Amino acid sequence: MTHNARTTPQRWRERLREDRGSESIAAAIVTPLLLMLLCLAIAGGRIVTSGAKIDAAAEDAARAASISRTYSGAQAEASSAAARSLADQGIHCASTSTSVNASGLAVPLGEVGTVTVTISCTVPMSDLLLPGTPGAKTLSSTFTSVVDAYRSREG
């Protein structure tokens, strides 16, 4: 009968020195951190994308206002174009404000004027991130559009 030269305490010491199972422990620690980082990157991307959509709405509103012939028409057209653009792009604002500087419509014919529109939109974080996320983020954008120098204006 042959006996193994190693005793029981020696076998236990060898087993304790082995690395088996350490990969599982490392994965259990690292996986939640990687998932949180991924969720944070997605959230940042959604916020940036929403900001780009607000920028596009400001461009649309400024262009619509610059085509108008009157100050009151510019206000109405800018607000309407901004609301339409935001709705088309799927942005649901809890509150929206559209500010129009249409002083460029008052310049004499032959001179170039500008119309500037600023849009502010408060978006609930539950729309940007995950449903049920508390809070809101206010996104705003300003865009300036040139008024045609030779287009007739009513002041």
Side-chain angles (χ1 to χ4, degrees), residues 15 28 36 49 88 101 112 115 117 121 123 148 151:
R15 283 188 179 175
M36 287 182 4
T49 302
D88 288 347
N101 177 0
V112 176
V115 174
V117 175
C121 173
V123 182
D148 184 8
R151 182 181 174 112

Side-chain angles (χ1 to χ4, degrees), residues 45-99:
R46 291 193 59 155
I47 290 172
V48 168
T49 302
S50 296
K53 291 177 180 182
I54 302 292
D55 290 344
E59 290 176 29
D60 293 345
R63 182 66 187 138
S66 71
I67 295 172
S68 287
R69 293 191 168 143
T70 63
Y71 181 78
S72 60
Q75 293 277 355
E77 287 296 321
S79 295
S80 174
R84 194 171 43 252
S85 180
L86 291 172
D88 288 347
Q89 297 184 59
I91 299 291
H92 306 287
C93 301
S95 66
T96 307
S97 69
T98 304
S99 170

Side-chain angles (χ1 to χ4, degrees), residues 26-53:
I29 293 171
V30 172
T31 301
L33 295 174
L34 290 175
L35 287 174
M36 287 182 4
L37 184 63
L38 177 66
C39 289
L40 190 63
I42 291 171
R46 291 193 59 155
I47 290 172
V48 168
T49 302
S50 296
K53 291 177 180 182

Side-chain angles (χ1 to χ4, degrees), residues 5-24:
R6 294 180 295 173
T7 61
T8 304
Q10 287 175 337
R11 283 188 223 155
W12 278 107
R13 275 186 238 134
E14 288 175 8
R15 283 188 179 175
L16 289 175
R17 289 183 195 150
E18 291 179 7
D19 285 341
R20 280 192 315 187
S22 64
E23 292 87 9
S24 300

